[in-house]
Amino acid sequence: MTTFELRLARYGADLEASLRAVYGERTDGLFARVIELMRRALERRPEELRQLDEARLLRPDWLQQPGMIGYVAYADRYAGDLQGVADHLDHLCDHGVTYLHLMPLLKPRAGENDGGYAVADYRAVRNDLGTVDDLADLTRELRSRGISLVMDLVLNHVAREHEWARKAREGDPHYRDYFYLYPDRTEPDEYEKSLPEVFPDFAPGNFTWDDEIDGWVWTTFNSYQWDVNWTNPDVFCEYLDIMLYLANLGVEVIRLDAIAFIWKRLGTSSQNQPEVHHLTQALRAALRIVAPAVAFKAEAIVGPDDLIYYLGVGSHHGQVSDMAYHNSLMVQLWSMLASRDTRLTEVALSAFRPKPTNTTWATYVRCHDDIGWAIGDEDAAAAGLDGAAHRSFLSDFYAGAYPTSFARGLVFQENPATNDRRISGTLASLAGLEKALESRDERAVDAAVQRILLLHAVILGFGGVPLLYMGDELGMLNDYSYADDPDHAADNRWVHRPRMDWELARQASEDPGSVAGRINAGLKHLIAARKRTPHLHASVESTVVPSPDARLLILRREHPLGRMLQVYNVTEWAVQLECAVLREHVGGEASEVLSGYDYSLAPYSLTLTPYQALWLVEKVTPPTSHA
Ligand code: GLC
């Protein structure tokens, strides 16, 4: 049997069953088309990538290893263009990066394009960044440095200027069926009754009138982003072909952008529908046949109960995405810092059911998007809080409007109907550095630096791939110049998408005592500690140990090499903790990974300094042989 036949024998049934679950009768003929697409893609797969496939099959847990460190950047903002990125890999290697997510770089529409998420051509690179060949070269260069390239695949919509939309506008019935088009408001009005709004401020509603279509177009995000119709099997084939194309260019992780939205159902929020998972399963099976080196990352910013399905629950176990963003952990990090209280976080994290052991969280402090306060009312109530009041407090706090706030954030997408407000801002500005530097308050600067490092300690220690967001490794502040760019001015998420400050990077390495130097050195120290701690393998779950003190978060990891207990002080106060609480889990003598010291837990208590993190590892002595 050939490799193709062997893999088809292994995953073909899975692929066919998931297609049937979505398309039913319409599957006849579709499966044969899909097989043909896969066969052609495998034939074209470069030899070097086939070898990577073999290597990955021997190391299926590659994404779960503690050595994985992610970095997220816009190619142009990081280094001008793709060649510039290739010329600036030392900075990434210096931080131990093994996974690079370059923000959308495929050809977008001209003008406003939602940071590249309005794609006009999936098979072309943005003109100013380079060519498809440059992209393939970059993946090769990255691979030689042990870095996997991660790229977005925007699956929910295309730009109004994409060829499919253009042909639909010209009246081609084949392409009109690629979209959700309505002659009048009857159906849109029905759907709107249960649809939330993603951008209530600058793109209210979910439908846009288009003169050329002479009708309403489904546009969940911006008016120029047209939702594609996945009920059409042709759309499935198009995206599969694009995925295989990207895989053959050397993309190693595909970020499934806004995946929650790709299936619509009247009377629901049209998110997280079962078909979304069947479709992912079909795409996953196809990729396993052609390009097993490639992993999927789900970008599903949804509640914990819905999120877990993206990693595979029930019949989808092990069959969908390998990785998903831990949005809840990110939100909780900011909630803890503002409230100086870990109770809500304990409740929220405990409510997560364990993820499948072969999957991985993407953990992060900041990303290119705003922070939405995804805190459930029930969780809040269980922590003695009112959900709406707490969310409102967090918006006030991070907008700098709360009396004791240290943060400098901007309010994003205020929704007067729901009173919902989200927040933009860089990690450093939200953590207090901008305000502290402005007021020349040394102690406040120290506290901000400590907060930045504490948040990173949590994402590096939680288990999963920690994603460092470009500029955060230097404590880069808000960039208010976005307001001068007409394409960006209306979208204040650009305040936290600055251009890389290479001068600051140089200062940081030359002067470790400078603010950027302290942040950078502290972060590198944490990264090195993570890399040498096998207990952080992502197959192991971090679980909450109820803390006797609401200022401390305590997490426990049950690894065969020994238990690990992590303690985080989320406040600017010194906090005493009874050692008995720790002894119970890691015994009387433990190694503390971050300091490198052995800790005796025999005394009555120990003191955590402000914003201190402890990573305690149990000492397990293997049985000795008896002579
Ligand atoms: C994802 C992206 C976000 C974008 C949206 C629409 O959520 O992270 O930046 O606006 O998808 O593509």
Side-chain angles (χ1 to χ4, degrees):
M1 272 212 213
T2 62
T3 299
F4 185 73
E5 287 161 350
L6 279 167
R7 292 189 192 155
L8 194 62
R10 170 69 180 84
Y11 294 112
D14 193 21
L15 172 53
E16 195 173 8
S18 32
L19 285 177
R20 202 166 287 285
V22 177
Y23 297 113
E25 296 296 290
R26 299 214 269 168
T27 315
D28 303 333
L30 174 61
F31 191 50
R33 263 171 85 189
V34 167
I35 290 187
E36 199 37 42
L37 286 176
M38 294 189 299
R39 191 192 301 279
R40 268 194 284 140
L42 184 55
E43 272 165 24
R44 291 197 198 118
R45 188 146 175 86
E47 181 52 34
E48 194 196 335
L49 295 175
R50 288 170 190 253
Q51 290 210 7
L52 184 68
D53 292 334
E54 297 300 328
R56 287 280 156 79
L57 289 169
L58 296 172
R59 199 183 280 275
D61 65 341
W62 65 283
L63 270 178
Q64 299 188 297
Q65 309 261 351
M68 287 301 292
I69 301 289
Y71 191 87
V72 183
Y74 290 88
D76 56 332
R77 300 200 151 227
Y78 181 69
D81 58 15
L82 296 181
Q83 185 55 51
V85 174
D87 295 340
H88 286 79
L89 295 184
D90 287 349
H91 180 73
L92 302 183
C93 294
D94 204 30
H95 290 78
V97 170
T98 56
Y99 162 121
L100 174 64
H101 174 196
L102 285 182
M103 296 297 293
L105 53 83
L106 299 179
K107 192 178 171 193
R109 74 193 288 271
E112 264 186 81
N113 56 40
D114 190 24
Y117 285 99
V119 179
D121 186 349
Y122 292 100
R123 288 184 170 80
V125 167
R126 230 172 81 180
N127 289 341
D128 58 320
L129 295 180
T131 63
V132 165
D133 287 340
D134 295 334
L135 181 60
D137 288 348
L138 176 63
T139 70
R140 223 168 289 128
E141 178 69 26
L142 286 167
R143 260 194 313 284
S144 75
R145 304 271 213 131
I147 303 175
S148 300
L149 182 68
V150 185
M151 262 178 63
D152 283 272
L153 181 57
V154 185
L155 294 163
N156 180 67
H157 42 262
V158 296
R160 183 179 181 272
E161 291 69 20
H162 187 281
E163 190 192 4
W164 306 335
R166 188 173 50 73
K167 288 189 173 156
R169 283 191 275 123
E170 285 164 4
D172 183 334
H174 178 77
Y175 288 99
R176 282 181 66 97
D177 202 22
Y178 276 38
F179 300 96
Y180 292 100
L181 309 176
Y182 305 95
D184 55 42
R185 285 296 305 183
T186 320
E187 280 188 77
D189 283 347
E190 281 306 304
Y191 278 109
E192 282 289 14
K193 287 181 185 160
S194 53
L195 290 178
E197 287 175 305
V198 176
F199 296 138
D201 181 0
F202 51 59
N206 288 275
F207 300 86
T208 302
W209 173 263
D210 193 280
D211 279 340
E212 282 179 58
I213 290 289
D214 194 23
W216 293 88
V217 185
W218 195 313
T219 55
T220 301
F221 291 83
N222 289 290
S223 56
Y224 51 78
Q225 287 163 302
W226 287 20
D227 288 37
V228 289
N229 171 14
W230 280 81
T231 69
N232 178 353
D234 290 338
V235 166
F236 177 87
C237 290
E238 296 272 16
Y239 276 104
L240 173 58
D241 206 33
I242 294 166
M243 264 191 179
L244 297 174
Y245 173 79
L246 294 176
N248 278 352
L249 283 179
V251 175
E252 295 182 35
V253 180
I254 298 182
R255 175 185 182 274
L256 306 174
D257 180 64
I259 178 83
F261 295 85
I262 66 171
W263 198 268
K264 329 289 187 196
R265 179 163 280 119
L266 194 62
T268 71
S269 65
S270 291
Q271 287 184 52
N272 312 313
Q273 297 299 307
E275 288 82 354
V276 170
H277 306 297
H278 291 304
L279 286 167
T280 315
Q281 184 168 346
L283 294 166
R284 188 81 196 90
L287 265 286
R288 278 180 165 152
I289 291 167
V290 180
V294 173
F296 279 7
K297 174 170 64 161
E299 192 249 344
I301 307 304
V302 300
D305 292 344
D306 292 316
L307 183 55
I308 205 79
Y309 288 92
Y310 290 84
L311 293 176
V313 170
S315 61
H316 296 300
H317 172 65
Q319 322 270 19
V320 281
S321 290
D322 306 272
M323 195 176 176
Y325 286 91
H326 203 321
N327 178 58
S328 182
L329 177 66
M330 182 276 287
V331 167
Q332 291 300 331
L333 291 176
W334 293 105
S335 174
M336 288 189 292
L337 274 195
S339 63
R340 279 85 167 169
D341 193 305
T342 61
R343 292 285 180 245
L344 176 62
T345 305
E346 290 189 352
V347 172
L349 293 180
S350 304
F352 268 80
R353 55 161 127 170
K355 63 173 178 49
T357 51
N358 57 351
T359 62
T360 306
W361 290 120
T363 57
Y364 61 116
V365 180
R366 286 297 291 119
C367 70
H368 68 290
D369 280 327
D370 50 289
I371 306 176
W373 304 115
I375 290 169
D377 288 340
E378 274 180 33
D379 286 355
L385 298 168
D386 174 80
H390 187 61
R391 292 189 293 269
S392 180
F393 156 70
L394 292 172
S395 294
D396 285 342
F397 189 93
Y398 286 108
Y402 195 79
T404 58
S405 172
F406 45 72
R408 283 282 168 82
L410 300 179
V411 171
F412 181 70
Q413 302 295 317
E414 179 158 10
N415 187 343
T418 57
N419 195 27
D420 190 32
R421 284 169 298 157
R422 286 136 62 182
I423 293 289
S424 293
T426 66
L427 160 64
S429 290
L430 295 180
L433 190 58
E434 187 175 329
K435 190 173 173 190
L437 288 173
E438 243 170 54
S439 54
R440 296 173 192 276
D441 179 341
E442 281 300 325
R443 286 183 56 192
V445 169
D446 289 348
V449 171
Q450 288 166 348
R451 285 186 202 106
I452 291 169
L453 294 176
L454 176 81
L455 297 188
H456 277 111
V458 182
I459 65 156
L460 286 155
F462 193 78
V465 183
L467 305 180
L468 312 178
Y469 184 64
M470 190 206 86
D472 287 350
E473 74 274 33
L474 302 171
M476 282 183 65
L477 304 178
N478 283 346
D479 171 12
Y480 297 100
S481 71
Y482 78 94
D484 305 328
D485 180 337
D487 288 338
H488 296 165
D491 185 344
N492 69 26
R493 288 178 297 176
W494 287 97
V495 83
H496 55 252
R497 300 169 181 175
R499 287 181 193 287
M500 183 64 171
D501 189 340
W502 289 108
E503 176 52 30
L504 193 62
R506 195 183 55 77
Q507 267 175 31
S509 58
E510 280 173 12
D511 180 3
S514 64
V515 175
R518 277 152 62 197
I519 293 171
N520 199 242
L523 183 59
K524 284 183 180 166
H525 176 77
L526 291 168
I527 291 170
R530 171 182 154 95
K531 290 205 181 226
R532 57 168 189 268
T533 310
H535 306 69
L536 294 175
H537 193 279
S539 57
V540 172
E541 203 76 36
S542 278
T543 55
V544 169
V545 174
S547 167
D549 189 308
R551 294 169 295 180
L552 304 178
L553 177 70
I554 309 182
L555 299 175
R556 167 177 142 142
R557 300 176 62 76
E558 197 78 49
H559 193 280
L561 285 172
R563 285 189 189 137
M564 182 175 192
L565 209 61
Q566 304 176 359
V567 188
Y568 300 103
N569 177 3
V570 303
T571 74
E572 56 272 68
W573 306 301
V575 179
Q576 287 225 326
L577 175 65
E578 276 187 39
C579 288
V581 176
L582 306 173
R583 264 198 312 268
E584 192 189 321
H585 303 278
V586 288
E589 249 320 280
S591 316
E592 202 285 310
V593 179
L594 297 174
S595 61
Y597 290 129
D598 281 348
Y599 267 45
S600 164
L601 300 174
Y604 178 73
S605 68
L606 59 76
T607 304
L608 278 103
T609 57
Y611 298 114
Q612 191 182 1
L614 289 179
W615 287 359
L616 296 163
V617 168
E618 181 187 16
K619 290 189 170 175
V620 178
T621 335
T624 44
S625 59
H626 297 285

